[in-house]
Amino acid sequence: MQTKNYISGHCVIENNSVMVNGVKQFELEQASFSEFAKAAYKNFNMDYPKFFKMDNLSKLAFLASEIILGSKVKEGEENNIALVFANQSSSLDTDVKYQGSIADKENYFPSPAVFVYTLPNICIGEISIRHKLQSENAFFVFEDFNAEFMTNYADLLLATNKAEKVLCGWVEYYQENYKAILYMVEKQGDLEHNKEIVNTLYNK
């Protein structure tokens, strides 16, 4: 019989609001994503100055992951927390900005500060650096959120002892349209980890 896994915490960020374990914790109406992200960062008392240099996809992923992981990963967990993310637009929002910097006739050199974020998995790198994670990680690009794939992948990592916890979910950002749904999967908890529950979290 397949061992059951559980969701120990989840965070949804969309429409300028932050939901943590189903409860709205923060909202900022009529604001751009940049304004909202900065306000959320301050609201949750985060302290990581590099946040302000990240692209918007990385900011979105960082906010959600920081809320779940907390300001510090427990000692000894650095090799045991896997990261599995997915989205629809890859890093397209930043790619467009980078292409714009190349096309700018007054700018002789493309911006390296923008170029560094022209891969979607850079957001995983930012989280890993923040928490000194040296663990399994993957970033997938799907046309739509694929709860079955994400559920099976997380369960496989736990079943094969590649990780003791898996932070996974959807992190989508393109031209001010965004949604993050991240959740922690582990072997103990109250909310069962299966594709139906994951789909419910995504569609709330």
Side-chain angles (χ1 to χ4, degrees):
M1 182 179 294
Q2 183 177 351
T3 302
K4 289 183 180 180
N5 296 311
Y6 298 87
I7 296 172
S8 59
H10 51 92
C11 176
V12 178
I13 301 178
E14 64 176 336
N15 299 325
N16 286 11
S17 70
V18 179
M19 301 281 290
V20 182
N21 298 329
V23 179
K24 185 177 289 187
Q25 299 285 357
F26 178 72
E27 185 175 30
L28 182 66
E29 297 181 353
Q30 297 182 338
S32 66
F33 174 77
S34 180
E35 294 167 334
F36 163 74
K38 185 176 181 179
Y41 173 94
K42 292 181 177 179
N43 178 77
F44 289 98
N45 298 312
M46 298 179 186
D47 184 18
Y48 192 62
K50 191 180 178 184
F51 171 83
F52 298 100
K53 296 182 180 180
M54 297 179 189
D55 73 333
N56 287 328
L57 178 63
S58 294
K59 286 180 178 178
L60 179 61
F62 182 90
L63 286 171
S65 64
E66 197 74 356
I67 288 169
I68 295 176
L69 291 171
S71 60
K72 185 175 177 60
V73 169
K74 293 179 181 178
E75 186 175 354
E77 287 192 332
E78 296 89 346
N79 299 322
N80 297 316
I81 300 176
L83 304 175
V84 181
F85 293 178
N87 75 4
Q88 181 183 62
S89 299
S90 185
S91 56
L92 184 58
D93 188 78
T94 299
D95 296 345
V96 170
K97 292 176 181 176
Y98 183 68
Q99 179 60 37
S101 75
I102 295 175
D104 184 356
K105 301 301 183 181
E106 296 180 0
N107 182 9
Y108 293 100
F109 300 100
S111 171
V114 177
F115 174 74
V116 73
Y117 290 102
T118 54
L119 288 173
N121 63 332
I122 297 302
C123 68
I124 287 179
E126 293 285 14
I127 295 165
S128 296
I129 291 169
R130 162 64 165 149
H131 292 285
K132 300 179 181 178
L133 301 181
Q134 302 177 45
S135 50
E136 295 282 332
N137 64 74
F139 197 110
F140 299 95
V141 179
F142 298 121
E143 184 174 352
D144 297 297
F145 180 66
N146 190 329
E148 182 173 10
F149 179 92
M150 299 296 286
T151 302
N152 290 341
Y153 199 97
D155 286 343
L156 180 63
L157 289 174
L158 294 174
T160 55
N161 295 316
K162 295 291 182 67
E164 294 181 1
K165 298 180 180 181
V166 184
L167 178 62
C168 54
W170 184 259
V171 186
E172 166 70 12
Y173 183 97
Y174 183 60
Q175 294 184 343
E176 291 290 317
N177 295 309
Y178 63 91
K179 180 170 185 171
I181 161 64
L182 294 187
Y183 50 96
M184 183 71 82
V185 183
E186 48 190 307
K187 295 179 180 180
Q188 296 180 337
D190 298 318
L191 184 62
E192 187 175 335
H193 178 240
N194 58 54
K195 67 178 183 180
E196 289 78 19
I197 295 295
V198 170
N199 262 327
T200 298
L201 293 178
Y202 177 80
N203 290 312
K204 274 188 177 180

